[in-house]
Amino acid sequence: MKKIKTVLALLLILSLAFTALACGGGESDDKGLHVGILTTSGVDDGSFGQACYEGIQNFVGANPGTSVNDIKEDDFGRVVQAVADVIADYDVMVMPGFQFSGAGSVAKENPEKHFILVDSYPKVGEEEVQLDNVYAMMFKEDESGFFAGIAAALHTKTNKVAVVNGIAFPSNVNYQYGFMSGVNYANKHYGTSAEIVELPAYAGKSSITDEDVGGNYIGAFADQAKGKVVGEALLAEGVDIMLVAAGDSGNGVFAAVKESAEGNYVIGCDVDQFDDGATGSRNIVLTSALKNMTPIVAAQLQKINDGTFKGENALLGAAEGGTGYVSEDGRHQLSEDALAKLAEVYELVKNGTVVPASSYNGHKPDNFPGLN
């Protein structure tokens, strides 16, 4: 009898276990979001990939049971297919960079999945679309450039400053016009007398209108050698502070400044680039103009997790917490006076009193709301 009871007990346990497996129990109840991040430069690139990955890590750290996996596809021509190949394994895919706009087609075909695009809006074919399962963020680079221009004007010793860009895409022109607006604002309101140096040999042409936009354009985002040439040419003109918005080409500008006399600086772009400025016992990064993607990625993941997510093609500025500059202790070399003035003007940009010039708003660096 005792053996029969034991056998019956074992059969009951096996039956319950089988029922749980058949119903999917024991796994999905505790399973959190599985997040993928697909980049072309890795999650340790010191730029978009790393900033987005840190946002995901912040989310994962605050939500036990969630997880992240990073995938790298360095062939720009394969990124959309790479998303399609792996999306079945993830609940959410985060994709930083303009090259991922074509993933809109994958998002449309997978409405049960969520997608976060950074610095691009989704496209299906050639058509820009807005999808319920995609949060796509772009930024008002003109605002971040504006803060950089003010910082440069307040700190220059030679009264010569410049902005160096890669290619005259709208985002780069935004940085350029914003920087020029900031210098003009500081000259008008803070008593500075900074000159914006533009080398005619490196003037840019808008990728949209073919209009001559001036500035200092390297002509590529992955040409460090030419970036160094442009940086050296500006240093030779007496420029001592440059905003560098040129992708990998910008590393050449950094190299030129590192090899120059002490007292010359760069302003980083998109993310905090202070670590990139270290050279010997000094650091050449004055501050960095920011796109605040880290907290926004984390916030959107939290909304997906909580069931409050809403698809959107968002344009983010100071009012939405999307733009800014580095002011964290130990990560910049701004004076107390500059920090105070930047905090003041940040509020004016945030509330719309100051609207820097950009490629999209029709204003010019010498004539924009709030200048006069």
Side-chain angles (χ1 to χ4, degrees), residues 137-190:
M137 66 186 90
M138 294 184 72
F139 298 86
K140 295 181 179 180
E141 295 92 354
D142 44 293
E143 294 183 357
S144 298
F146 180 76
F147 303 134
I150 288 177
L154 290 171
H155 280 274
T156 179
K157 298 295 190 293
T158 64
N159 285 329
K160 291 186 176 183
V161 299
V163 54
V164 183
N165 298 98
I167 300 173
F169 291 148
S171 59
N172 263 225
V173 176
N174 290 343
Y175 268 125
Q176 177 199 347
Y177 283 5
F179 179 85
M180 296 168 74
S181 298
V183 173
N184 289 334
Y185 186 94
N187 288 345
K188 175 82 172 180
H189 293 271
Y190 296 140

Coordinates of all heavy atoms in Angstrom, one line a residue, residues 137-190:
M137 N 13.3 59.3 -32.1 CA 13.7 60.6 -31.6 C 14.7 61.3 -32.5 O 15.7 60.6 -32.9 CB 14.2 60.5 -30.2 CG 15.5 59.7 -30.0 SD 15.9 59.5 -28.3 CE 15.1 57.9 -27.9
M138 N 14.5 62.5 -32.8 CA 15.5 63.4 -33.3 C 15.6 64.6 -32.4 O 14.8 64.8 -31.6 CB 15.1 63.8 -34.8 CG 15.2 62.6 -35.7 SD 14.9 63.0 -37.5 CE 16.4 63.8 -37.9
F139 N 16.7 65.4 -32.6 CA 17.0 66.4 -31.7 C 17.2 67.8 -32.3 O 17.6 67.9 -33.5 CB 18.3 66.0 -30.9 CG 18.2 64.8 -30.1 CD1 18.5 63.5 -30.7 CD2 17.9 64.8 -28.8 CE1 18.4 62.4 -30.0 CE2 17.8 63.6 -28.1 CZ 18.0 62.4 -28.7
K140 N 17.0 68.8 -31.6 CA 17.2 70.2 -32.0 C 18.7 70.5 -31.8 O 19.1 71.1 -30.8 CB 16.3 71.2 -31.3 CG 14.8 71.0 -31.6 CD 14.0 72.0 -30.8 CE 12.5 71.8 -31.1 NZ 11.6 72.7 -30.4
E141 N 19.5 70.0 -32.7 CA 21.0 70.3 -32.6 C 21.4 71.7 -32.5 O 22.4 72.1 -31.9 CB 21.7 69.6 -33.8 CG 21.6 68.1 -33.9 CD 20.5 67.7 -34.7 OE1 19.7 68.5 -35.2 OE2 20.4 66.4 -35.0
D142 N 20.5 72.6 -33.1 CA 20.8 74.0 -33.0 C 20.8 74.5 -31.6 O 21.6 75.4 -31.3 CB 19.7 74.8 -33.8 CG 18.3 74.3 -33.5 OD1 18.0 73.1 -33.9 OD2 17.5 75.0 -32.9
E143 N 20.0 73.9 -30.7 CA 20.0 74.3 -29.3 C 21.3 73.9 -28.6 O 22.0 74.8 -27.9 CB 18.8 73.7 -28.6 CG 17.5 74.3 -29.0 CD 16.3 73.7 -28.2 OE1 16.5 72.9 -27.3 OE2 15.2 74.1 -28.5
S144 N 21.7 72.7 -28.8 CA 23.0 72.2 -28.2 C 24.2 73.0 -28.8 O 25.1 73.4 -28.1 CB 23.2 70.8 -28.5 OG 22.2 70.0 -27.9
G145 N 24.1 73.3 -30.1 CA 25.2 74.1 -30.7 C 25.2 75.5 -30.2 O 26.2 76.2 -30.0
F146 N 24.0 76.1 -29.9 CA 23.9 77.4 -29.3 C 24.6 77.5 -27.9 O 25.3 78.4 -27.7 CB 22.4 77.7 -29.1 CG 22.1 79.1 -28.5 CD1 22.2 80.2 -29.3 CD2 21.6 79.2 -27.2 CE1 21.9 81.5 -28.8 CE2 21.3 80.4 -26.7 CZ 21.5 81.6 -27.4
F147 N 24.4 76.5 -27.1 CA 25.0 76.5 -25.8 C 26.6 76.4 -26.0 O 27.3 77.0 -25.2 CB 24.6 75.3 -24.9 CG 23.1 75.3 -24.7 CD1 22.3 74.1 -24.9 CD2 22.4 76.4 -24.4 CE1 21.0 74.1 -24.7 CE2 21.0 76.4 -24.2 CZ 20.3 75.3 -24.4
A148 N 27.0 75.6 -27.0 CA 28.4 75.5 -27.3 C 29.0 76.8 -27.7 O 30.1 77.2 -27.3 CB 28.7 74.4 -28.3
G149 N 28.3 77.6 -28.5 CA 28.7 78.9 -29.0 C 28.9 79.9 -27.9 O 29.9 80.6 -27.9
I150 N 28.0 79.9 -27.0 CA 28.1 80.8 -25.8 C 29.3 80.4 -25.0 O 30.1 81.3 -24.6 CB 26.8 80.7 -25.0 CG1 25.7 81.4 -25.7 CG2 27.0 81.4 -23.6 CD1 24.3 81.4 -25.1
A151 N 29.5 79.1 -24.7 CA 30.6 78.6 -24.0 C 31.9 79.1 -24.6 O 32.9 79.5 -24.0 CB 30.6 77.1 -23.8
A152 N 32.0 78.9 -25.9 CA 33.2 79.3 -26.7 C 33.5 80.8 -26.6 O 34.6 81.2 -26.3 CB 33.1 78.8 -28.1
A153 N 32.5 81.6 -26.8 CA 32.6 83.0 -26.8 C 33.1 83.5 -25.4 O 33.9 84.4 -25.3 CB 31.3 83.7 -27.2
L154 N 32.6 82.9 -24.4 CA 32.9 83.3 -23.0 C 34.3 82.9 -22.6 O 34.9 83.4 -21.7 CB 31.9 82.7 -22.0 CG 30.5 83.3 -22.0 CD1 29.5 82.5 -21.2 CD2 30.5 84.7 -21.6
H155 N 34.9 81.9 -23.3 CA 36.2 81.3 -22.8 C 37.3 81.6 -23.8 O 38.5 81.5 -23.4 CB 36.1 79.8 -22.6 CG 35.4 79.4 -21.4 ND1 36.2 79.2 -20.2 CD2 34.2 79.1 -21.0 CE1 35.3 78.9 -19.2 NE2 34.1 78.8 -19.7
T156 N 37.1 82.1 -25.0 CA 38.2 82.3 -25.9 C 39.1 83.4 -25.4 O 38.7 84.4 -24.9 CB 37.7 82.6 -27.3 OG1 38.8 82.9 -28.2 CG2 36.8 83.9 -27.3
K157 N 40.4 83.1 -25.6 CA 41.4 84.1 -25.3 C 41.9 84.8 -26.5 O 42.4 86.0 -26.4 CB 42.6 83.4 -24.6 CG 42.3 82.7 -23.3 CD 41.9 83.7 -22.2 CE 41.8 83.0 -20.9 NZ 40.7 82.0 -20.8
T158 N 41.8 84.2 -27.7 CA 42.2 84.9 -28.9 C 41.0 85.6 -29.6 O 41.3 86.3 -30.6 CB 42.7 83.8 -29.9 OG1 41.7 82.9 -30.3 CG2 43.9 83.0 -29.3
N159 N 39.8 85.4 -29.1 CA 38.6 86.0 -29.7 C 38.4 85.4 -31.1 O 37.7 86.0 -31.9 CB 38.7 87.5 -29.8 CG 38.4 88.1 -28.4 OD1 37.7 87.6 -27.6 ND2 39.0 89.3 -28.1
K160 N 38.8 84.2 -31.3 CA 38.5 83.5 -32.6 C 38.1 82.1 -32.2 O 38.8 81.3 -31.6 CB 39.8 83.4 -33.5 CG 40.2 84.8 -34.0 CD 41.3 84.7 -35.0 CE 41.7 86.0 -35.6 NZ 42.7 85.9 -36.7
V161 N 36.9 81.7 -32.7 CA 36.3 80.4 -32.5 C 35.7 79.9 -33.8 O 35.6 80.6 -34.8 CB 35.1 80.5 -31.4 CG1 35.7 81.0 -30.1 CG2 34.0 81.4 -31.9
A162 N 35.4 78.6 -33.8 CA 35.0 77.9 -35.0 C 34.2 76.7 -34.7 O 34.3 76.1 -33.6 CB 36.1 77.6 -35.9
V163 N 33.4 76.3 -35.7 CA 32.7 75.0 -35.6 C 33.2 74.1 -36.8 O 33.3 74.7 -37.9 CB 31.2 75.1 -35.6 CG1 30.7 76.0 -36.8 CG2 30.5 73.8 -35.6
V164 N 33.5 72.9 -36.6 CA 33.9 72.0 -37.6 C 32.9 70.9 -37.8 O 32.5 70.2 -36.8 CB 35.3 71.3 -37.3 CG1 35.8 70.5 -38.4 CG2 36.3 72.4 -37.0
N165 N 32.4 70.7 -39.0 CA 31.4 69.7 -39.3 C 31.9 68.6 -40.3 O 32.9 68.8 -40.9 CB 30.2 70.3 -39.8 CG 29.5 71.3 -38.9 OD1 29.8 72.5 -38.9 ND2 28.8 70.8 -37.9
G166 N 31.1 67.5 -40.4 CA 31.4 66.5 -41.3 C 30.9 66.8 -42.7 O 31.6 67.2 -43.6
I167 N 29.6 66.6 -42.9 CA 28.9 66.8 -44.2 C 27.7 67.7 -43.9 O 27.1 67.6 -42.8 CB 28.5 65.5 -44.9 CG1 29.7 64.6 -45.2 CG2 27.7 65.8 -46.2 CD1 29.3 63.2 -45.7
A168 N 27.3 68.6 -44.8 CA 26.3 69.6 -44.5 C 24.9 68.9 -44.6 O 24.0 69.4 -45.3 CB 26.4 70.7 -45.5
F169 N 24.7 67.8 -43.9 CA 23.4 67.3 -43.6 C 22.6 68.3 -42.7 O 23.2 69.0 -42.0 CB 23.4 65.9 -43.0 CG 24.0 64.8 -43.9 CD1 24.7 63.8 -43.3 CD2 23.8 64.8 -45.2 CE1 25.2 62.8 -44.1 CE2 24.3 63.8 -46.0 CZ 25.0 62.8 -45.5
P170 N 21.3 68.2 -42.7 CA 20.5 69.1 -41.8 C 21.0 69.1 -40.4 O 21.1 70.2 -39.8 CB 19.1 68.6 -42.0 CG 19.0 68.1 -43.3 CD 20.4 67.4 -43.5
S171 N 21.3 68.0 -39.8 CA 21.7 67.9 -38.4 C 23.0 68.7 -38.2 O 23.2 69.4 -37.2 CB 21.9 66.5 -38.0 OG 22.9 65.8 -38.8
N172 N 24.0 68.6 -39.2 CA 25.2 69.3 -39.0 C 25.1 70.8 -39.2 O 25.7 71.6 -38.5 CB 26.3 68.7 -40.0 CG 27.2 67.7 -39.4 OD1 28.4 67.7 -39.6 ND2 26.6 66.8 -38.6
V173 N 24.2 71.2 -40.2 CA 23.9 72.6 -40.4 C 23.3 73.2 -39.1 O 23.5 74.3 -38.7 CB 23.1 72.8 -41.6 CG1 22.7 74.3 -41.8 CG2 23.8 72.3 -42.9
N174 N 22.4 72.4 -38.5 CA 21.8 72.8 -37.2 C 22.9 73.1 -36.2 O 22.8 74.2 -35.5 CB 20.9 71.7 -36.7 CG 19.6 71.6 -37.5 OD1 19.3 72.4 -38.3 ND2 19.0 70.4 -37.3
Y175 N 23.8 72.2 -36.0 CA 24.9 72.5 -35.1 C 25.7 73.8 -35.4 O 26.0 74.6 -34.6 CB 25.9 71.3 -35.0 CG 25.6 70.3 -34.0 CD1 25.4 68.9 -34.3 CD2 25.5 70.6 -32.6 CE1 25.2 68.0 -33.4 CE2 25.2 69.7 -31.7 CZ 25.1 68.3 -32.0 OH 24.8 67.4 -31.1
Q176 N 26.0 73.9 -36.7 CA 26.7 75.1 -37.2 C 25.9 76.4 -36.9 O 26.5 77.3 -36.3 CB 27.0 75.0 -38.7 CG 27.7 76.2 -39.3 CD 27.6 76.3 -40.8 OE1 27.1 75.3 -41.4 NE2 27.9 77.4 -41.4
Y177 N 24.7 76.4 -37.4 CA 23.9 77.7 -37.2 C 23.7 77.9 -35.7 O 23.6 79.1 -35.3 CB 22.6 77.5 -37.9 CG 22.7 77.7 -39.4 CD1 23.9 77.9 -40.1 CD2 21.5 77.7 -40.2 CE1 23.9 78.1 -41.5 CE2 21.6 77.9 -41.6 CZ 22.8 78.1 -42.2 OH 22.9 78.3 -43.6
G178 N 23.4 76.9 -34.9 CA 23.2 77.1 -33.5 C 24.5 77.6 -32.8 O 24.4 78.6 -32.0
F179 N 25.6 77.1 -33.2 CA 26.9 77.6 -32.6 C 27.1 79.1 -33.0 O 27.4 79.9 -32.1 CB 28.1 76.8 -33.2 CG 29.4 77.2 -32.7 CD1 29.9 76.7 -31.5 CD2 30.2 78.1 -33.4 CE1 31.2 77.1 -31.0 CE2 31.5 78.5 -33.0 CZ 31.9 78.0 -31.8
M180 N 26.9 79.4 -34.2 CA 27.0 80.8 -34.7 C 26.0 81.7 -33.9 O 26.4 82.8 -33.5 CB 26.9 80.9 -36.2 CG 27.9 80.1 -37.0 SD 27.6 79.9 -38.7 CE 27.9 81.6 -39.3
S181 N 24.8 81.2 -33.8 CA 23.8 82.0 -33.0 C 24.3 82.2 -31.6 O 24.1 83.3 -31.0 CB 22.5 81.2 -33.0 OG 22.0 81.0 -34.3
G182 N 24.9 81.2 -31.0 CA 25.3 81.3 -29.6 C 26.4 82.3 -29.4 O 26.5 83.1 -28.5
V183 N 27.4 82.3 -30.4 CA 28.5 83.3 -30.4 C 27.9 84.7 -30.5 O 28.3 85.6 -29.8 CB 29.5 83.0 -31.5 CG1 30.5 84.1 -31.5 CG2 30.2 81.7 -31.2
N184 N 27.0 84.9 -31.5 CA 26.4 86.2 -31.7 C 25.6 86.7 -30.4 O 25.6 87.9 -30.1 CB 25.5 86.2 -32.9 CG 26.3 86.1 -34.2 OD1 27.4 86.5 -34.2 ND2 25.7 85.5 -35.2
Y185 N 24.9 85.7 -29.8 CA 24.2 86.1 -28.6 C 25.1 86.5 -27.5 O 24.8 87.5 -26.8 CB 23.4 84.9 -28.1 CG 22.4 85.2 -27.0 CD1 21.1 85.5 -27.2 CD2 22.9 85.1 -25.6 CE1 20.2 85.8 -26.1 CE2 22.0 85.4 -24.6 CZ 20.7 85.7 -24.8 OH 19.9 86.0 -23.8
A186 N 26.2 85.8 -27.3 CA 27.2 86.2 -26.2 C 27.8 87.5 -26.5 O 28.0 88.4 -25.6 CB 28.2 85.1 -26.1
N187 N 28.1 87.8 -27.8 CA 28.7 89.1 -28.1 C 27.7 90.2 -27.8 O 28.1 91.3 -27.4 CB 29.0 89.1 -29.6 CG 30.3 88.3 -29.9 OD1 31.0 87.9 -29.0 ND2 30.5 88.0 -31.2
K188 N 26.4 89.9 -28.1 CA 25.4 91.0 -27.9 C 25.0 91.2 -26.4 O 24.8 92.3 -26.0 CB 24.1 90.5 -28.7 CG 22.9 91.4 -28.5 CD 23.0 92.6 -29.4 CE 21.7 93.4 -29.4 NZ 21.7 94.6 -30.2
H189 N 24.9 90.1 -25.7 CA 24.3 90.2 -24.3 C 25.4 90.0 -23.2 O 25.1 90.5 -22.1 CB 23.3 89.1 -24.1 CG 22.0 89.3 -25.0 ND1 21.0 90.0 -24.6 CD2 21.7 88.9 -26.2 CE1 20.0 90.1 -25.5 NE2 20.5 89.4 -26.5
Y190 N 26.5 89.4 -23.5 CA 27.5 89.2 -22.4 C 28.8 89.9 -22.6 O 29.8 89.7 -21.9 CB 27.7 87.7 -22.3 CG 26.5 86.9 -21.9 CD1 26.2 85.7 -22.4 CD2 25.6 87.4 -20.9 CE1 25.1 84.9 -22.0 CE2 24.5 86.7 -20.5 CZ 24.3 85.5 -21.1 OH 23.1 84.7 -20.7

